[in-house]
Amino acid sequence: MPDEISVREWQEKFRAGAFNAQDRYTQCQAGWYDWFCQDHALAGRLKKIGRVVMGITDPFILDNYYVWFKNNCPLSGPLYDDVRFEPLSGDRDGKYFVISLDSPHERTKWALVTERYGFDAPEFDCRDIREMIKYVNSIGPELQQGIVPPFVAEKDAVTAYALRRGEPEGIHIYRDGDHHYSYTSRQDRRKRTVMAVASAEDAPPGFVAEQAAQIKGLYVYCPEDAGKALPTPEKAADKSQKRKEAPER
């Protein structure tokens, strides 16, 4: 890895053409850390993934982060790239985030995975780079002030709900908008759409308060599971343990 430079300085070098050459040294200076493509392909890939870096305008991210890049080789599917935003100094403290382009693991073209939301699923994903740039710039003040947005607690409640429904640890909880989340059940392969709110006043349309469960101090409602009793945490844990032990018989 080259000496760490701020995103602002990286942008200046990119505009000046400092990373245009295709040789390995130049591309390492640009921030490539690991890759599976041929060396000469890195410059072209940088121009594509670098567009999202060039869109950063938030002062905190510009002056307090550096970027590095990875070209990834999934078990199935084509190679894809991501850019990682790491604080220049101090602990990551929930501020680290990654933007991927055309990952076969994600639902859309652009995906933002953040340390604060967790690495199992994106905090935000979209098809348009302009939407991604707008979102990343919008979270700059939160990162600067160490603000933990409400959706982090909502996701924790939805995760707890899924576990009580018998889902395994590490289930991917996707964020689909304000108070809306989803996951695909490992039991029947069907999608569950789950809403989580702190109070009835925050409830989105379609939220049935009478059928919501109180989990981790929030109200959680899943239309697909409406009318089905929610197992207690103890019973859900026992069921999960039995499922793990079954192959040993």
Side-chain angles (χ1 to χ4, degrees):
M1 290 278 295
D3 292 338
E4 297 159 3
I5 60 174
S6 69
V7 174
R8 189 186 300 276
E9 187 176 350
W10 191 94
Q11 289 180 344
E12 293 171 354
K13 288 179 174 291
F14 186 90
R15 290 192 191 98
F19 307 137
N20 287 349
Q22 296 182 357
D23 63 277
R24 178 191 288 253
Y25 174 79
T26 297
Q27 294 308 309
C28 286
Q29 291 299 114
W32 285 104
Y33 176 74
D34 189 22
W35 59 91
F36 293 85
C37 64
Q38 295 183 336
D39 292 356
H40 65 78
L42 293 175
R45 288 182 171 273
L46 185 70
K47 289 181 179 179
K48 293 180 180 179
I49 191 72
R51 290 182 299 154
V52 76
V53 182
M54 294 303 293
I56 300 300
T57 57
D58 175 75
F60 180 73
I61 298 177
L62 283 174
D63 296 322
N64 293 276
Y65 279 81
Y66 71 96
V67 291
W68 54 287
F69 303 87
K70 283 194 70 176
N71 171 249
N72 303 276
C73 182
L75 292 177
S76 62
L79 302 178
Y80 72 96
D81 303 319
D82 65 47
V83 54
R84 297 160 187 242
F85 289 74
E86 192 112 25
L88 274 167
S89 61
D91 297 330
R92 295 197 328 194
D93 196 26
K95 294 181 171 65
Y96 172 77
F97 61 93
V98 182
I99 301 174
S100 63
L101 170 61
D102 291 329
S103 168
H105 303 302
E106 306 299 353
R107 304 183 297 179
T108 59
K109 187 177 186 69
W110 295 94
L112 169 70
V113 173
T114 66
E115 188 174 16
R116 66 183 188 176
Y117 186 79
F119 299 117
D120 60 286
E123 174 179 318
F124 179 77
D125 53 9
C126 62
R127 299 185 183 280
D128 191 331
I129 187 175
R130 290 170 295 185
E131 292 180 41
M132 178 59 70
I133 290 171
K134 181 180 179 180
Y135 186 86
V136 173
N137 283 319
S138 75
I139 69 175
E142 295 176 349
L143 297 172
Q144 181 177 14
Q145 300 172 49
I147 295 173
V148 179
F151 62 72
V152 173
E154 292 176 356
K155 183 207 176 185
D156 286 345
V158 174
T159 300
Y161 172 86
L163 294 177
R164 286 179 62 176
R165 284 292 181 193
E167 302 298 339
E169 295 280 353
I171 189 79
H172 302 320
I173 306 296
Y174 289 90
R175 183 171 173 241
D176 296 327
D178 291 343
H179 310 300
H180 286 79
Y181 304 83
S182 64
Y183 66 89
T184 299
S185 173
R186 301 284 179 84
Q187 301 173 77
D188 59 14
R189 297 300 176 184
R190 293 182 179 179
K191 182 179 179 180
R192 298 293 192 276
T193 55
V194 189
M195 292 172 259
V197 296
S199 65
E201 290 74 21
D202 298 328
F207 189 96
V208 182
E210 295 78 13
Q211 297 181 352
Q214 291 192 43
I215 301 176
K216 290 183 173 287
L218 300 179
Y219 296 91
V220 179
Y221 171 66
C222 175
E224 292 84 2
D225 291 335
K228 300 179 182 177
L230 184 66
T232 63
E234 293 77 14
K235 289 183 178 180
D238 289 344
K239 184 177 180 181
S240 176
Q241 185 63 30
K242 288 179 181 178
R243 201 163 47 237
K244 291 179 181 178
E245 294 175 351
E248 298 179 1
R249 295 182 204 170

Short mmCIF file of all heavy atoms in Angstrom, two decimals, residues 137-200:
data_model
loop_
_atom_site.label_atom_id
_atom_site.label_comp_id
_atom_site.label_asym_id
_atom_site.label_seq_id
_atom_site.Cartn_x
_atom_site.Cartn_y
_atom_site.Cartn_z
N ASN A 137 -22.52 11.07 0.69
CA ASN A 137 -22.30 12.43 1.17
C ASN A 137 -23.24 12.79 2.33
O ASN A 137 -22.86 13.54 3.23
CB ASN A 137 -22.48 13.43 0.02
CG ASN A 137 -21.28 13.46 -0.91
OD1 ASN A 137 -20.14 13.42 -0.47
ND2 ASN A 137 -21.53 13.53 -2.21
N SER A 138 -24.43 12.22 2.32
CA SER A 138 -25.41 12.55 3.37
C SER A 138 -25.03 11.96 4.72
O SER A 138 -25.45 12.48 5.76
CB SER A 138 -26.81 12.06 2.96
OG SER A 138 -26.92 10.64 3.09
N ILE A 139 -24.24 10.87 4.73
CA ILE A 139 -23.90 10.25 6.02
C ILE A 139 -22.62 10.83 6.61
O ILE A 139 -22.24 10.48 7.72
CB ILE A 139 -23.79 8.72 5.90
CG1 ILE A 139 -22.57 8.31 5.07
CG2 ILE A 139 -25.07 8.13 5.33
CD1 ILE A 139 -22.33 6.80 5.04
N GLY A 140 -21.95 11.72 5.87
CA GLY A 140 -20.73 12.33 6.38
C GLY A 140 -20.89 12.96 7.75
O GLY A 140 -20.09 12.70 8.67
N PRO A 141 -21.91 13.82 7.96
CA PRO A 141 -22.10 14.43 9.27
C PRO A 141 -22.35 13.41 10.38
O PRO A 141 -21.91 13.60 11.52
CB PRO A 141 -23.33 15.33 9.06
CG PRO A 141 -23.29 15.66 7.60
CD PRO A 141 -22.80 14.40 6.94
N GLU A 142 -23.04 12.32 10.07
CA GLU A 142 -23.27 11.27 11.07
C GLU A 142 -21.96 10.62 11.47
O GLU A 142 -21.71 10.36 12.66
CB GLU A 142 -24.23 10.22 10.52
CG GLU A 142 -25.63 10.73 10.24
CD GLU A 142 -26.52 9.69 9.60
OE1 GLU A 142 -26.00 8.63 9.18
OE2 GLU A 142 -27.74 9.92 9.50
N LEU A 143 -21.13 10.34 10.48
CA LEU A 143 -19.83 9.72 10.76
C LEU A 143 -18.95 10.67 11.58
O LEU A 143 -18.26 10.26 12.51
CB LEU A 143 -19.13 9.36 9.46
CG LEU A 143 -19.83 8.31 8.59
CD1 LEU A 143 -19.15 8.19 7.23
CD2 LEU A 143 -19.86 6.96 9.29
N GLN A 144 -19.01 11.94 11.26
CA GLN A 144 -18.20 12.94 11.97
C GLN A 144 -18.60 13.04 13.43
O GLN A 144 -17.75 13.12 14.32
CB GLN A 144 -18.34 14.29 11.29
CG GLN A 144 -17.51 15.39 11.96
CD GLN A 144 -17.62 16.72 11.23
OE1 GLN A 144 -18.50 16.90 10.37
NE2 GLN A 144 -16.72 17.64 11.53
N GLN A 145 -19.89 13.02 13.69
CA GLN A 145 -20.40 13.21 15.04
C GLN A 145 -20.59 11.89 15.80
O GLN A 145 -20.99 11.91 16.96
CB GLN A 145 -21.72 13.97 14.99
CG GLN A 145 -21.61 15.35 14.36
CD GLN A 145 -22.96 16.00 14.15
OE1 GLN A 145 -23.79 16.05 15.06
NE2 GLN A 145 -23.21 16.50 12.95
N GLY A 146 -20.32 10.78 15.14
CA GLY A 146 -20.50 9.50 15.81
C GLY A 146 -21.95 9.15 16.06
O GLY A 146 -22.27 8.41 17.00
N ILE A 147 -22.84 9.67 15.24
CA ILE A 147 -24.28 9.42 15.40
C ILE A 147 -24.61 8.01 14.89
O ILE A 147 -24.23 7.63 13.79
CB ILE A 147 -25.11 10.45 14.62
CG1 ILE A 147 -24.89 11.85 15.22
CG2 ILE A 147 -26.59 10.09 14.62
CD1 ILE A 147 -25.53 12.96 14.40
N VAL A 148 -25.31 7.25 15.71
CA VAL A 148 -25.80 5.94 15.30
C VAL A 148 -27.25 6.10 14.87
O VAL A 148 -28.12 6.38 15.69
CB VAL A 148 -25.70 4.91 16.44
CG1 VAL A 148 -26.22 3.55 15.98
CG2 VAL A 148 -24.26 4.78 16.91
N PRO A 149 -27.55 5.96 13.59
CA PRO A 149 -28.92 6.18 13.12
C PRO A 149 -29.89 5.15 13.68
O PRO A 149 -29.50 4.02 14.00
CB PRO A 149 -28.79 6.07 11.60
CG PRO A 149 -27.54 5.28 11.37
CD PRO A 149 -26.63 5.60 12.49
N PRO A 150 -31.17 5.51 13.78
CA PRO A 150 -32.18 4.60 14.36
C PRO A 150 -32.28 3.26 13.66
O PRO A 150 -32.64 2.26 14.28
CB PRO A 150 -33.48 5.40 14.23
CG PRO A 150 -33.05 6.84 14.18
CD PRO A 150 -31.74 6.83 13.45
N PHE A 151 -31.98 3.23 12.36
CA PHE A 151 -32.15 1.96 11.65
C PHE A 151 -31.19 0.87 12.13
O PHE A 151 -31.43 -0.31 11.88
CB PHE A 151 -32.06 2.15 10.14
CG PHE A 151 -30.74 2.66 9.61
CD1 PHE A 151 -29.61 1.86 9.59
CD2 PHE A 151 -30.64 3.94 9.11
CE1 PHE A 151 -28.41 2.33 9.10
CE2 PHE A 151 -29.45 4.42 8.61
CZ PHE A 151 -28.33 3.61 8.60
N VAL A 152 -30.13 1.24 12.82
CA VAL A 152 -29.22 0.21 13.36
C VAL A 152 -29.95 -0.59 14.44
O VAL A 152 -29.87 -1.84 14.46
CB VAL A 152 -27.94 0.85 13.91
CG1 VAL A 152 -27.09 -0.19 14.63
CG2 VAL A 152 -27.14 1.50 12.78
N ALA A 153 -30.66 0.10 15.33
CA ALA A 153 -31.44 -0.59 16.37
C ALA A 153 -32.59 -1.37 15.74
O ALA A 153 -32.93 -2.47 16.19
CB ALA A 153 -31.96 0.42 17.39
N GLU A 154 -33.18 -0.80 14.69
CA GLU A 154 -34.28 -1.49 14.02
C GLU A 154 -33.78 -2.80 13.40
O GLU A 154 -34.45 -3.84 13.50
CB GLU A 154 -34.89 -0.59 12.95
CG GLU A 154 -35.62 0.62 13.51
CD GLU A 154 -36.14 1.55 12.43
OE1 GLU A 154 -35.86 1.30 11.23
OE2 GLU A 154 -36.82 2.53 12.77
N LYS A 155 -32.62 -2.74 12.77
CA LYS A 155 -32.07 -3.95 12.19
C LYS A 155 -31.80 -5.01 13.26
O LYS A 155 -32.06 -6.21 13.05
CB LYS A 155 -30.78 -3.65 11.43
CG LYS A 155 -30.21 -4.89 10.75
CD LYS A 155 -28.73 -4.81 10.57
CE LYS A 155 -28.18 -6.10 9.97
NZ LYS A 155 -26.72 -6.11 9.87
N ASP A 156 -31.29 -4.59 14.41
CA ASP A 156 -31.03 -5.53 15.50
C ASP A 156 -32.33 -6.22 15.93
O ASP A 156 -32.34 -7.42 16.21
CB ASP A 156 -30.41 -4.81 16.70
CG ASP A 156 -28.96 -4.43 16.46
OD1 ASP A 156 -28.35 -4.97 15.51
OD2 ASP A 156 -28.43 -3.59 17.21
N ALA A 157 -33.41 -5.44 15.98
CA ALA A 157 -34.70 -6.01 16.37
C ALA A 157 -35.21 -6.99 15.31
O ALA A 157 -35.74 -8.06 15.63
CB ALA A 157 -35.72 -4.89 16.60
N VAL A 158 -35.04 -6.64 14.05
CA VAL A 158 -35.46 -7.54 12.96
C VAL A 158 -34.63 -8.82 12.99
O VAL A 158 -35.15 -9.93 12.77
CB VAL A 158 -35.35 -6.83 11.60
CG1 VAL A 158 -35.64 -7.81 10.47
CG2 VAL A 158 -36.32 -5.65 11.53
N THR A 159 -33.34 -8.69 13.25
CA THR A 159 -32.47 -9.87 13.35
C THR A 159 -32.94 -10.78 14.49
O THR A 159 -33.01 -12.01 14.33
CB THR A 159 -31.02 -9.45 13.60
OG1 THR A 159 -30.57 -8.63 12.52
CG2 THR A 159 -30.10 -10.66 13.71
N ALA A 160 -33.26 -10.18 15.63
CA ALA A 160 -33.76 -10.96 16.76
C ALA A 160 -35.07 -11.64 16.41
O ALA A 160 -35.32 -12.80 16.80
CB ALA A 160 -33.94 -10.05 17.98
N TYR A 161 -35.92 -10.94 15.66
CA TYR A 161 -37.19 -11.53 15.21
C TYR A 161 -36.92 -12.76 14.34
O TYR A 161 -37.53 -13.82 14.54
CB TYR A 161 -37.98 -10.49 14.42
CG TYR A 161 -39.21 -11.05 13.74
CD1 TYR A 161 -40.42 -11.15 14.43
CD2 TYR A 161 -39.16 -11.52 12.42
CE1 TYR A 161 -41.55 -11.69 13.81
CE2 TYR A 161 -40.28 -12.06 11.81
CZ TYR A 161 -41.47 -12.13 12.51
OH TYR A 161 -42.58 -12.68 11.90
N ALA A 162 -36.00 -12.63 13.38
CA ALA A 162 -35.69 -13.75 12.49
C ALA A 162 -35.15 -14.94 13.26
O ALA A 162 -35.51 -16.09 12.98
CB ALA A 162 -34.69 -13.29 11.43
N LEU A 163 -34.30 -14.68 14.24
CA LEU A 163 -33.74 -15.77 15.04
C LEU A 163 -34.84 -16.48 15.83
O LEU A 163 -34.84 -17.72 15.95
CB LEU A 163 -32.67 -15.23 16.00
CG LEU A 163 -31.40 -14.67 15.35
CD1 LEU A 163 -30.46 -14.10 16.40
CD2 LEU A 163 -30.69 -15.75 14.54
N ARG A 164 -35.79 -15.72 16.33
CA ARG A 164 -36.90 -16.33 17.07
C ARG A 164 -37.81 -17.14 16.14
O ARG A 164 -38.50 -18.06 16.58
CB ARG A 164 -37.70 -15.27 17.81
CG ARG A 164 -36.95 -14.75 19.05
CD ARG A 164 -37.71 -13.67 19.78
NE ARG A 164 -38.99 -14.13 20.30
CZ ARG A 164 -39.80 -13.38 21.05
NH1 ARG A 164 -39.44 -12.12 21.34
NH2 ARG A 164 -40.94 -13.85 21.48
N ARG A 165 -37.78 -16.80 14.86
CA ARG A 165 -38.54 -17.58 13.88
C ARG A 165 -37.77 -18.81 13.42
O ARG A 165 -38.22 -19.56 12.55
CB ARG A 165 -38.87 -16.70 12.66
CG ARG A 165 -39.99 -15.71 12.88
CD ARG A 165 -41.31 -16.40 13.06
NE ARG A 165 -42.42 -15.46 13.24
CZ ARG A 165 -43.63 -15.82 13.66
NH1 ARG A 165 -43.89 -17.09 13.93
NH2 ARG A 165 -44.58 -14.92 13.80
N GLY A 166 -36.59 -19.04 14.01
CA GLY A 166 -35.83 -20.24 13.69
C GLY A 166 -34.76 -20.07 12.64
O GLY A 166 -34.16 -21.06 12.21
N GLU A 167 -34.49 -18.81 12.24
CA GLU A 167 -33.45 -18.58 11.24
C GLU A 167 -32.07 -18.69 11.90
O GLU A 167 -31.93 -18.46 13.10
CB GLU A 167 -33.61 -17.21 10.60
CG GLU A 167 -34.96 -16.98 9.92
CD GLU A 167 -35.21 -17.94 8.77
OE1 GLU A 167 -34.23 -18.50 8.23
OE2 GLU A 167 -36.39 -18.13 8.41
N PRO A 168 -31.05 -19.02 11.13
CA PRO A 168 -29.71 -19.19 11.70
C PRO A 168 -29.01 -17.86 11.95
O PRO A 168 -29.41 -16.81 11.42
CB PRO A 168 -28.98 -19.97 10.61
CG PRO A 168 -29.63 -19.51 9.34
CD PRO A 168 -31.08 -19.35 9.69
N GLU A 169 -27.98 -17.90 12.75
CA GLU A 169 -27.14 -16.72 12.96
C GLU A 169 -26.55 -16.29 11.62
O GLU A 169 -26.24 -17.11 10.76
CB GLU A 169 -26.00 -17.04 13.93
CG GLU A 169 -26.44 -17.38 15.34
CD GLU A 169 -26.77 -16.15 16.17
OE1 GLU A 169 -26.52 -15.03 15.68
OE2 GLU A 169 -27.26 -16.32 17.30
N GLY A 170 -26.41 -14.99 11.43
CA GLY A 170 -25.81 -14.49 10.21
C GLY A 170 -26.78 -14.33 9.06
O GLY A 170 -26.36 -14.08 7.92
N ILE A 171 -28.09 -14.45 9.31
CA ILE A 171 -29.07 -14.25 8.26
C ILE A 171 -28.93 -12.84 7.70
O ILE A 171 -28.67 -11.89 8.42
CB ILE A 171 -30.51 -14.48 8.80
CG1 ILE A 171 -31.53 -14.48 7.68
CG2 ILE A 171 -30.87 -13.46 9.85
CD1 ILE A 171 -31.59 -15.77 6.91
N HIS A 172 -29.04 -12.68 6.38
CA HIS A 172 -28.83 -11.39 5.74
C HIS A 172 -30.10 -10.53 5.86
O HIS A 172 -31.14 -10.86 5.28
CB HIS A 172 -28.49 -11.57 4.26
CG HIS A 172 -27.27 -12.41 4.03
ND1 HIS A 172 -26.15 -12.32 4.82
CD2 HIS A 172 -26.99 -13.35 3.10
CE1 HIS A 172 -25.23 -13.16 4.39
NE2 HIS A 172 -25.71 -13.81 3.35
N ILE A 173 -29.98 -9.44 6.60
CA ILE A 173 -31.11 -8.53 6.79
C ILE A 173 -30.90 -7.30 5.91
O ILE A 173 -30.00 -6.49 6.15
CB ILE A 173 -31.24 -8.09 8.26
CG1 ILE A 173 -31.31 -9.31 9.18
CG2 ILE A 173 -32.46 -7.18 8.44
CD1 ILE A 173 -32.52 -10.19 8.99
N TYR A 174 -31.71 -7.17 4.88
CA TYR A 174 -31.57 -6.06 3.94
C TYR A 174 -32.44 -4.88 4.38
O TYR A 174 -33.55 -5.06 4.88
CB TYR A 174 -31.98 -6.49 2.53
CG TYR A 174 -30.99 -7.42 1.89
CD1 TYR A 174 -31.11 -8.81 2.04
CD2 TYR A 174 -29.93 -6.93 1.14
CE1 TYR A 174 -30.18 -9.66 1.45
CE2 TYR A 174 -29.01 -7.78 0.54
CZ TYR A 174 -29.14 -9.14 0.72
OH TYR A 174 -28.23 -9.98 0.15
N ARG A 175 -31.91 -3.70 4.16
CA ARG A 175 -32.64 -2.48 4.46
C ARG A 175 -33.31 -2.01 3.18
O ARG A 175 -32.65 -1.74 2.18
CB ARG A 175 -31.68 -1.42 5.00
CG ARG A 175 -32.36 -0.13 5.39
CD ARG A 175 -31.39 0.80 6.11
NE ARG A 175 -32.01 2.10 6.33
CZ ARG A 175 -31.57 3.25 5.85
NH1 ARG A 175 -30.45 3.27 5.12
NH2 ARG A 175 -32.21 4.38 6.08
N ASP A 176 -34.64 -1.87 3.22
CA ASP A 176 -35.41 -1.53 2.02
C ASP A 176 -36.08 -0.16 2.11
O ASP A 176 -37.03 0.11 1.39
CB ASP A 176 -36.48 -2.60 1.78
CG ASP A 176 -35.88 -3.96 1.49
OD1 ASP A 176 -34.80 -4.00 0.89
OD2 ASP A 176 -36.49 -4.98 1.86
N GLY A 177 -35.58 0.69 2.98
CA GLY A 177 -36.17 2.02 3.15
C GLY A 177 -36.48 2.27 4.61
O GLY A 177 -36.20 1.44 5.48
N ASP A 178 -37.06 3.42 4.90
CA ASP A 178 -37.35 3.77 6.29
C ASP A 178 -38.27 2.75 6.95
O ASP A 178 -39.39 2.49 6.47
CB ASP A 178 -38.01 5.15 6.35
CG ASP A 178 -37.05 6.27 5.98
OD1 ASP A 178 -35.82 6.02 6.00
OD2 ASP A 178 -37.52 7.38 5.68
N HIS A 179 -37.76 2.14 8.00
CA HIS A 179 -38.51 1.17 8.83
C HIS A 179 -38.79 -0.15 8.11
O HIS A 179 -39.46 -1.01 8.66
CB HIS A 179 -39.83 1.76 9.34
CG HIS A 179 -39.70 3.09 9.98
ND1 HIS A 179 -38.91 3.31 11.10
CD2 HIS A 179 -40.24 4.30 9.67
CE1 HIS A 179 -38.99 4.58 11.46
NE2 HIS A 179 -39.78 5.20 10.60
N HIS A 180 -38.30 -0.33 6.90
CA HIS A 180 -38.57 -1.54 6.12
C HIS A 180 -37.30 -2.38 5.94
O HIS A 180 -36.25 -1.85 5.58
CB HIS A 180 -39.12 -1.18 4.75
CG HIS A 180 -40.54 -0.69 4.76
ND1 HIS A 180 -40.87 0.59 5.13
CD2 HIS A 180 -41.71 -1.32 4.45
CE1 HIS A 180 -42.19 0.74 5.04
NE2 HIS A 180 -42.72 -0.40 4.64
N TYR A 181 -37.44 -3.69 6.15
CA TYR A 181 -36.33 -4.63 6.04
C TYR A 181 -36.83 -5.92 5.39
O TYR A 181 -38.04 -6.14 5.30
CB TYR A 181 -35.73 -4.93 7.42
CG TYR A 181 -35.30 -3.66 8.13
CD1 TYR A 181 -36.21 -2.90 8.84
CD2 TYR A 181 -33.98 -3.21 8.04
CE1 TYR A 181 -35.83 -1.70 9.45
CE2 TYR A 181 -33.60 -2.02 8.65
CZ TYR A 181 -34.53 -1.28 9.34
OH TYR A 181 -34.15 -0.10 9.92
N SER A 182 -35.92 -6.75 4.96
CA SER A 182 -36.33 -8.03 4.38
C SER A 182 -35.22 -9.05 4.53
O SER A 182 -34.04 -8.70 4.67
CB SER A 182 -36.70 -7.86 2.90
OG SER A 182 -35.56 -7.48 2.13
N TYR A 183 -35.60 -10.31 4.50
CA TYR A 183 -34.65 -11.41 4.47
C TYR A 183 -35.33 -12.60 3.80
O TYR A 183 -36.56 -12.66 3.71
CB TYR A 183 -34.17 -11.78 5.88
CG TYR A 183 -35.21 -12.37 6.80
CD1 TYR A 183 -35.46 -13.75 6.83
CD2 TYR A 183 -35.94 -11.56 7.67
CE1 TYR A 183 -36.40 -14.30 7.69
CE2 TYR A 183 -36.89 -12.09 8.54
CZ TYR A 183 -37.12 -13.46 8.53
OH TYR A 183 -38.06 -14.00 9.38
N THR A 184 -34.52 -13.50 3.28
CA THR A 184 -35.04 -14.72 2.68
C THR A 184 -34.88 -15.84 3.69
O THR A 184 -33.77 -16.14 4.13
CB THR A 184 -34.30 -15.06 1.39
OG1 THR A 184 -34.48 -14.00 0.45
CG2 THR A 184 -34.83 -16.35 0.79
N SER A 185 -35.98 -16.46 4.05
CA SER A 185 -35.95 -17.52 5.05
C SER A 185 -35.13 -18.70 4.57
O SER A 185 -35.26 -19.13 3.42
CB SER A 185 -37.38 -17.98 5.37
OG SER A 185 -37.35 -19.11 6.22
N ARG A 186 -34.30 -19.22 5.44
CA ARG A 186 -33.53 -20.42 5.12
C ARG A 186 -34.41 -21.68 5.24
O ARG A 186 -34.00 -22.76 4.83
CB ARG A 186 -32.34 -20.55 6.07
CG ARG A 186 -31.38 -19.36 6.04
CD ARG A 186 -30.48 -19.34 4.82
NE ARG A 186 -29.61 -18.18 4.84
CZ ARG A 186 -28.45 -18.12 5.49
NH1 ARG A 186 -28.05 -19.17 6.20
NH2 ARG A 186 -27.71 -17.03 5.45
N GLN A 187 -35.60 -21.51 5.79
CA GLN A 187 -36.46 -22.65 6.03
C GLN A 187 -37.37 -22.97 4.84
O GLN A 187 -37.55 -24.13 4.47
CB GLN A 187 -37.31 -22.41 7.28
CG GLN A 187 -36.46 -22.17 8.52
CD GLN A 187 -37.28 -21.75 9.72
OE1 GLN A 187 -37.92 -22.59 10.36
NE2 GLN A 187 -37.26 -20.47 10.04
N ASP A 188 -37.95 -21.93 4.24
CA ASP A 188 -38.84 -22.18 3.10
C ASP A 188 -38.44 -21.40 1.85
O ASP A 188 -39.14 -21.43 0.84
CB ASP A 188 -40.30 -21.86 3.46
CG ASP A 188 -40.49 -20.40 3.90
OD1 ASP A 188 -39.57 -19.58 3.67
OD2 ASP A 188 -41.55 -20.09 4.46
N ARG A 189 -37.28 -20.66 1.93
CA ARG A 189 -36.75 -19.90 0.80
C ARG A 189 -37.69 -18.78 0.35
O ARG A 189 -37.56 -18.28 -0.77
CB ARG A 189 -36.45 -20.82 -0.40
CG ARG A 189 -35.39 -21.86 -0.11
CD ARG A 189 -34.08 -21.20 0.25
NE ARG A 189 -33.05 -22.18 0.62
CZ ARG A 189 -31.84 -21.86 1.05
NH1 ARG A 189 -31.52 -20.59 1.16
NH2 ARG A 189 -30.97 -22.78 1.38
N ARG A 190 -38.58 -18.37 1.22
CA ARG A 190 -39.49 -17.28 0.87
C ARG A 190 -39.05 -15.99 1.54
O ARG A 190 -38.48 -16.00 2.62
CB ARG A 190 -40.93 -17.63 1.30
CG ARG A 190 -41.52 -18.79 0.53
CD ARG A 190 -42.95 -19.07 0.96
NE ARG A 190 -43.54 -20.17 0.20
CZ ARG A 190 -44.77 -20.62 0.39
NH1 ARG A 190 -45.54 -20.08 1.35
NH2 ARG A 190 -45.22 -21.62 -0.35
N LYS A 191 -39.34 -14.91 0.86
CA LYS A 191 -38.94 -13.60 1.36
C LYS A 191 -39.87 -13.16 2.48
O LYS A 191 -41.08 -13.36 2.43
CB LYS A 191 -38.99 -12.57 0.22
CG LYS A 191 -38.56 -11.17 0.62
CD LYS A 191 -38.62 -10.22 -0.57
CE LYS A 191 -38.21 -8.81 -0.18
NZ LYS A 191 -38.27 -7.88 -1.34
N ARG A 192 -39.27 -12.56 3.51
CA ARG A 192 -40.03 -11.95 4.59
C ARG A 192 -39.80 -10.45 4.56
O ARG A 192 -38.65 -10.00 4.50
CB ARG A 192 -39.60 -12.50 5.96
CG ARG A 192 -39.80 -13.99 6.13
CD ARG A 192 -41.28 -14.37 6.17
NE ARG A 192 -41.48 -15.74 6.61
CZ ARG A 192 -41.40 -16.82 5.82
NH1 ARG A 192 -41.11 -16.65 4.54
NH2 ARG A 192 -41.62 -18.02 6.30
N THR A 193 -40.86 -9.69 4.56
CA THR A 193 -40.74 -8.24 4.65
C THR A 193 -41.12 -7.84 6.07
O THR A 193 -42.18 -8.20 6.56
CB THR A 193 -41.68 -7.54 3.65
OG1 THR A 193 -43.03 -8.00 3.86
CG2 THR A 193 -41.26 -7.86 2.23
N VAL A 194 -40.24 -7.14 6.73
CA VAL A 194 -40.42 -6.85 8.15
C VAL A 194 -40.32 -5.35 8.39
O VAL A 194 -39.45 -4.68 7.83
CB VAL A 194 -39.36 -7.58 9.00
CG1 VAL A 194 -39.68 -7.45 10.48
CG2 VAL A 194 -39.27 -9.04 8.60
N MET A 195 -41.23 -4.84 9.20
CA MET A 195 -41.22 -3.43 9.58
C MET A 195 -40.88 -3.31 11.06
O MET A 195 -41.32 -4.14 11.87
CB MET A 195 -42.58 -2.78 9.29
CG MET A 195 -42.90 -2.66 7.81
SD MET A 195 -44.59 -2.11 7.50
CE MET A 195 -45.37 -3.68 7.10
N ALA A 196 -40.11 -2.29 11.40
CA ALA A 196 -39.72 -2.08 12.80
C ALA A 196 -39.83 -0.59 13.12
O ALA A 196 -39.32 0.25 12.37
CB ALA A 196 -38.30 -2.57 13.03
N VAL A 197 -40.51 -0.29 14.24
CA VAL A 197 -40.69 1.11 14.64
C VAL A 197 -40.56 1.23 16.15
O VAL A 197 -40.77 0.27 16.91
CB VAL A 197 -42.08 1.64 14.22
CG1 VAL A 197 -42.20 1.67 12.70
CG2 VAL A 197 -43.20 0.79 14.82
N ALA A 198 -40.22 2.44 16.59
CA ALA A 198 -40.10 2.70 18.02
C ALA A 198 -41.45 3.01 18.64
O ALA A 198 -41.66 2.79 19.83
CB ALA A 198 -39.13 3.85 18.27
N SER A 199 -42.37 3.56 17.84
CA SER A 199 -43.70 3.89 18.35
C SER A 199 -44.70 3.81 17.21
O SER A 199 -44.33 3.84 16.02
CB SER A 199 -43.71 5.30 18.95
OG SER A 199 -43.45 6.27 17.95
N ALA A 200 -45.97 3.74 17.57
CA ALA A 200 -47.03 3.63 16.56
C ALA A 200 -47.06 4.85 15.65
O ALA A 200 -47.45 4.75 14.48
CB ALA A 200 -48.38 3.45 17.24
#
